[in-house]
């Protein structure tokens, strides 16, 4: 059956919204580390915990959203989330105490980001009966572009307006772009009786096994990926380069991640979601520690996109795996639960990178912990692929 062309409007709108919102929530604080250190004298671990508080909010919010995401009005939910993100970034420009930053970022994640990420990716999966891997990869690529472009733009805004002015400019820009884009969001057309019957008859793994395994797996892979996302810029600055140069390296990493997210989405359509997810995590885990062995800008600029291509496929693989392993009527709720662990992993990885830096004076231990976390994920995904090859009884009653 021919599918509506409007599904590509959904993909483009989601890609831009996630790029702007999560380019600030996930790793946008990385270029604010040194300005906040210089003005307030806070330790790097304390500043990293600002970002972690936002990701903890995302994790808790993911659980809350999972309770009603399959029944919510997706446009209202998106409008609410985008408005909260913009307002919280504006408030960050007026904060002067550490607890204020913690509260602002926590609320941005709890009520803003959580209302966007899981529900919007689940929405894309429901709009695309076929080729969902590529569509999710494109939307995830938009997020990757934002995670590179927003910190890069923030570095220039800090030089021009100071860190307070930069937050104010970013919040204003978010309000003027995210809210209008939210009006483009529509629920997917209802499945035909034949499509619904096929979804019910498909042999899925039991829900508790899938949700538990993916949740632990994503906790590990996101702990690994968030360490360089949050600490690559200060790591490069510690080698004697300025914030613009350092954020430029991060930008090249995220540009490569755009290609990785699309490529691994296509690989998932061709060979399956779990093999694509496993390959991306293996790529990320094998390369992540080498960042600590580099001390010149040229090598950083060459190595970052090589790492970034594989890193980019991780979230695409996860999102498609969550879609493929759950039936449509449970997709948004299951995705919300799994993604809550993803954001917890992001928060843990960013925090432990800063804490181990404060304790040891370097990033060796922090990036080493990231490798260990990725290895745990690979073991769990190998288990899921093993059980996924075995014949399963349709778990309609379980779901």
């Amino acid at each position: 059956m021919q599918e509506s062309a409007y599904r590509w409007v959904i993909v483009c709108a989601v890609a831009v919204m996630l790029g702007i919102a999560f380019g600030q929530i996930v790793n946008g604080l990385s270029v604010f580390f040194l300005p906040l250190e210089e003005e307030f004298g806070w330790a790097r671990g304390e500043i990293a915990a600002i970002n972690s508080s936002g990701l903890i909010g995302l994790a808790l919010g993911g659980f809350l959203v999972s309770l009603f995401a399959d029944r919510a009005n997706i446009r209202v939910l998106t409008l609410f989330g985008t408005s909260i993100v913009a307002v919280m970034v504006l408030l960050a420009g007026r904060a002067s105490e550490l607890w204020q930053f913690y509260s602002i970022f926590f609320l941005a994640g709890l009520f803003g980001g959580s209302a966007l990420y899981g529900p919007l990716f689940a929405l894309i999966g429901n709009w695309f009966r076929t080729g969902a891997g590529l569509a999710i990869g494109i939307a995830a690529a938009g997020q990757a572009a934002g995670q590179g472009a927003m910190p890069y733009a923030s570095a220039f805004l800090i030089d021009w307006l100071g860190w307070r002015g930069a937050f104010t400019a970013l919040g204003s820009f978010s309000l003027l772009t995210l809210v209008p884009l939210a009006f483009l969001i529509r629920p997917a057309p209802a499945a035909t009786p034949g499509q619904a019957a096929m979804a019910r008859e498909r042999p899925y793994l039991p829900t508790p096994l899938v949700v538990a395994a993916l949740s632990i797996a994503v906790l590990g892979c996101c702990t690994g990926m968030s360490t360089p996302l949050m600490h690559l810029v200060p790591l490069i600055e510690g080698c004697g380069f300025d914030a613009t140069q350092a954020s430029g390296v991060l930008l090249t990493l995220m540009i490569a991640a755009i290609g990785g997210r699309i490529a691994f989405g296509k690989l998932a359509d061709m060979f399956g979601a779990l093999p694509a997810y496993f390959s991306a995590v293996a790529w990320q885990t094998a390369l992540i520690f080498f960042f600590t062995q580099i001390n010149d800008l040229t090598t950083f600029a060459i190595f970052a996109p090589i790492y970034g291509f594989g890193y980019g496929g991780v979230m695409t693989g996860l999102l498609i795996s969550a879609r493929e392993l759950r039936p449509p009527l449970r997709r948004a709720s299951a995705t919300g639960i799994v993604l809550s662990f993803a954001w917890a992993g992001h928060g843990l990885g960013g925090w432990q990178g800063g804490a181990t830096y404060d304790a040891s004076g370097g990033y060796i231990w922090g990036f080493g912990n990231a490798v260990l976390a990725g290895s745990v994920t690979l073991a769990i995904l190998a288990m899921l692929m093993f059980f996924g090859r075995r014949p399963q009884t349709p778990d309609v009653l379980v779901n």
Side-chain angles (χ1 to χ4, degrees):
M1 185 181 70
Q2 186 176 5
E3 296 184 87
S4 170
Y6 196 81
R7 59 185 180 157
W8 291 108
V9 176
I10 297 293
V11 171
C12 293
V14 170
V16 176
M17 283 192 291
L18 294 180
I20 295 171
F22 285 80
Q24 298 172 83
I25 295 175
V26 176
N27 65 308
L29 190 70
S30 59
V31 293
F32 290 86
F33 271 54
L34 294 189
L36 293 177
E37 276 186 351
E38 292 171 0
E39 177 154 344
F40 298 108
W42 296 329
R44 192 159 298 183
E46 292 176 316
I47 297 172
I50 298 173
N51 181 77
S52 297
S53 67
L55 297 173
I56 291 170
L58 271 167
L60 295 175
F63 273 115
L64 294 175
V65 170
S66 71
L67 299 176
F68 60 85
D70 292 305
R71 303 182 301 276
N73 183 311
I74 186 62
R75 179 178 288 175
V76 172
L77 192 61
T78 304
L79 281 168
F80 176 76
T82 53
S83 300
I84 291 294
V85 170
V87 170
M88 290 300 114
V89 175
L90 284 169
L91 290 176
R94 297 183 174 274
S96 57
E97 301 289 341
L98 198 56
W99 69 267
Q100 293 173 340
F101 280 102
Y102 290 157
S103 300
I104 288 168
F105 273 75
F106 177 79
L107 293 174
L110 180 68
F111 295 115
S114 66
L116 301 176
Y117 203 79
L120 288 179
F121 274 114
L123 176 69
I124 291 175
N126 290 334
W127 268 92
F128 283 77
R129 311 294 179 188
T130 60
L134 179 61
I136 289 173
I138 291 171
Q143 179 196 343
Q147 287 182 230
M150 296 303 287
Y152 188 66
S154 297
F156 285 98
L157 290 172
I158 291 169
D159 287 340
W160 180 32
L161 303 171
W163 69 265
R164 291 187 184 277
F167 273 129
T168 301
L170 290 169
S172 301
F173 173 75
S174 299
L175 196 62
L176 292 173
T177 54
L178 292 177
V179 173
L181 284 169
F183 282 99
L184 297 175
I185 298 301
R186 297 179 187 173
T192 66
Q195 291 168 337
M198 289 177 62
R200 287 194 299 269
E201 293 171 2
R202 179 180 168 180
Y204 293 100
L205 288 168
T207 296
L209 171 64
V210 170
V211 172
L214 279 181
S215 295
I216 299 172
V218 76
L219 183 68
C221 73
C222 289
T223 296
M225 73 166 60
S226 65
T227 303
L229 280 180
M230 282 307 301
H231 296 282
L232 182 58
V233 169
L235 171 65
I236 296 173
E237 288 177 311
C239 295
F241 305 101
D242 62 36
T244 303
Q245 292 171 311
S247 61
V249 173
L250 179 63
L251 178 61
T252 65
L253 187 157
M254 299 310 300
I255 289 173
I258 296 171
R261 295 195 174 192
I262 297 173
F264 278 89
K266 186 63 176 178
L267 283 174
D269 286 334
M270 296 169 62
F271 302 108
L274 284 175
Y277 185 20
F278 183 94
S279 300
V281 174
W283 187 314
Q284 170 184 281
T285 303
L287 297 182
I288 192 170
F289 187 76
F290 289 99
F291 279 117
T292 64
Q293 308 303 302
I294 302 172
N295 54 23
D296 68 277
L297 192 63
T298 300
T299 308
F300 273 121
I302 294 171
F303 181 73
I306 297 173
Y307 166 84
F309 186 84
Y311 144 78
V314 173
M315 287 305 291
T316 299
L318 165 67
L319 291 163
I320 301 170
S321 296
R323 176 189 184 275
E324 290 297 313
L325 295 173
R326 303 311 326 124
L329 292 180
R330 294 289 182 267
R331 195 165 284 158
S333 58
T335 301
I337 293 171
V338 171
L339 287 176
S340 68
F341 282 86
W343 300 125
H346 269 285
L348 176 61
W351 170 81
Q352 70 86 23
T356 52
Y357 177 89
D358 292 335
S360 65
Y363 280 115
I364 296 292
W365 283 102
F367 279 69
N369 290 337
V371 174
L372 179 62
S375 300
V376 172
T377 297
L378 291 173
I380 295 171
L381 293 180
M383 178 197 72
L384 269 177
M385 286 190 288
F386 172 76
F387 284 107
R389 293 191 185 100
R390 301 171 66 182
Q392 303 295 326
T393 300
D395 61 342
V396 178
L397 295 179
V398 176
N399 288 304

